[in-house]
């Protein structure tokens, strides 16, 4: 069984600890900074054995070197980004299995935010760690990739089972909800979800993880091929990638 601990760090990042109970293996997903991770490990008496990086941005790899030197853990990251991921030991790519004790992870290449972005999918645990590709009600900015790459990546993620919990790397949900509502102010599933998000944030609680079912229903970036949203944008019948590009462009300029 995989135990998953969520550690809020910096202003809005989430680092995750994955603990495989049978083997005692423990991984940190996208450790931005070392101290909160070390403190959490110490309080649980877990020894860090792995780092799983989704992409090369500093707020995802910042603690690689420090954690590696403190714990001797192994760093896993995308093969094509081996020069941009500090301390990388295991180079992985699309479809590769990650044996993590009794848990099996699967690597998904999801470029768009960066050229070499990957996600880690643990099917038996209903969990995907998708970094800055898919957010709750949003998606990552296109820093290095194209709209076509990002749309393909989002389609790959939305094909995962609806029960999959979406462990993204940032708490951006409230501002994402405002943008989504600006497009579809009277879409009942979105209104309901936005209310839940507001209530959670008011109490200082995380809105992450969500589920893939919630995201496919309410996340505009996963619905670029939905006629209802296309009509709202005045883009009915246009290619999904063009609609996605328009959504991303609007979000980049949105001041909610
Ligand atoms: Zn990033
Ligand atoms: Fe980030």
């Amino acid at each position: 069984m995989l135990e998953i601990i969520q550690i809020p760090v910096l202003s809005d990042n989430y680092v995750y600890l994955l603990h495989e109970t049978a083997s005692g293996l423990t991984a940190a997903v996208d450790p931005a900074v070392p101290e909160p991770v070390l403190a959490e490990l110490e309080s649980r008496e877990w020894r860090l054995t792995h780092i799983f990086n989704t992409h090369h941005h500093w707020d995802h790899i910042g603690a690689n070197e420090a954690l590696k030197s403190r714990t001797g853990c192994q760093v896993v990251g995308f093969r094509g980004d081996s020069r941009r991921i500090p301390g990388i030991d295991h180079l992985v790519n699309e479809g590769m299995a990650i044996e993590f004790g009794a848990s099996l992870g699967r690597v998904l290449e999801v470029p768009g935010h960066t050229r070499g972005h990957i996600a880690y999918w643990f099917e038996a645990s209903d969990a995907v760690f998708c970094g800055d590709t898919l957010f709750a009600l949003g998606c990552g900015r296109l820093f290095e990739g194209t709209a076509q790459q990002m749309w393909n990546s989002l389609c790959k993620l939305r094909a995962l089972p609806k029960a999959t919990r979406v462990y993204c790397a940032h708490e951006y949900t409230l501002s994402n909800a405002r943008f989504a509502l600006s497009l579809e102010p009277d879409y009942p599933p979105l209104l309901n979800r936005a209310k839940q998000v507001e209530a959670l944030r008011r109490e200082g609680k995380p809105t992450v993880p969500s589920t893939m079912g919630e995201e496919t229903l309410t996340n505009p970036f996963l619905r670029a091929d939905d006629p209802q949203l296309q009509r709202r944008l005045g883009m009915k019948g246009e290619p999904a990638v063009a609609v996605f590009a328009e959504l991303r462009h609007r979000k980049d300029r949105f001041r909610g």
Side-chain angles (χ1 to χ4, degrees):
M1 200 194 92
L2 210 53
E3 205 175 320
I4 301 169
I5 308 298
Q6 183 176 42
I7 312 173
V9 304
L10 303 174
S11 58
D12 51 38
N13 279 72
Y14 288 125
V15 176
Y16 299 101
L17 287 185
L18 276 50
H19 184 69
E20 205 281 305
T21 45
S23 59
L25 295 179
T26 303
V29 180
D30 284 351
V33 284
E35 296 82 8
V37 177
L38 289 166
E40 193 69 41
L41 288 165
E42 196 174 332
S43 77
R44 294 175 184 276
E45 298 185 353
W46 291 349
R47 190 175 69 82
L48 191 69
T49 55
H50 295 77
I51 288 173
F52 297 151
N53 288 132
T54 63
H55 67 294
H56 75 90
H57 284 157
W58 70 272
D59 61 319
H60 300 256
I61 51 97
N64 276 22
E65 303 274 28
L67 290 175
K68 194 174 172 176
S69 71
R70 281 284 291 269
T71 66
C73 67
Q74 304 267 301
V75 178
V76 181
F78 178 54
R79 183 178 304 282
D81 264 341
S82 58
R83 280 197 297 274
R84 302 200 286 183
I85 295 179
I88 192 165
D89 298 293
H90 292 301
L91 314 183
V92 298
N93 52 260
E94 176 70 28
M96 272 178 72
I98 294 187
E99 278 175 41
F100 188 63
S103 276
L104 187 68
R106 188 68 66 180
V107 175
L108 307 173
E109 288 182 19
V110 287
H113 177 67
T114 64
R115 278 190 302 278
H117 198 301
I118 58 174
Y120 297 85
W121 177 38
F122 289 86
E123 182 174 10
S125 300
D126 280 328
V128 66
F129 298 87
C130 52
D132 290 358
T133 298
L134 175 64
F135 293 126
L137 286 172
C139 78
R141 282 174 186 266
L142 304 181
F143 284 122
E144 298 175 6
T146 64
Q148 182 73 65
Q149 282 176 320
M150 189 58 139
W151 174 243
N152 292 349
S153 296
L154 293 174
C155 288
K156 192 185 281 189
L157 291 172
R158 86 176 172 176
L160 299 180
K162 293 217 181 318
T164 308
R165 290 169 293 168
V166 178
Y167 289 93
C168 61
H170 290 274
E171 179 61 61
Y172 289 158
T173 321
L174 196 53
S175 66
N176 289 341
R178 291 191 183 120
F179 173 69
L181 281 170
S182 78
L183 304 170
E184 295 177 293
D186 45 17
Y187 177 41
L190 177 61
L191 283 165
N192 289 338
R193 187 164 178 205
K195 269 193 213 117
Q196 289 169 21
V197 166
E198 277 162 30
L200 286 168
R201 293 313 290 157
R202 219 177 295 124
E203 296 168 38
K205 290 182 182 157
T207 64
V208 175
S210 56
T211 66
M212 202 58 79
E214 290 177 279
E215 296 307 327
T216 53
L217 185 63
T218 53
N219 187 327
F221 296 96
L222 295 184
R223 296 172 48 237
D225 51 359
D226 181 329
Q228 179 189 306
L229 178 55
Q230 290 189 345
R231 207 177 311 117
R232 282 289 187 173
L233 296 165
M235 297 182 80
K236 184 129 190 278
E238 292 198 33
V241 64
V243 177
F244 171 75
E246 174 64 18
L247 285 168
R248 190 57 260 176
H249 184 61
R250 288 194 190 200
K251 177 66 165 71
D252 290 342
R253 288 172 304 166
F254 184 71
R255 295 286 170 269

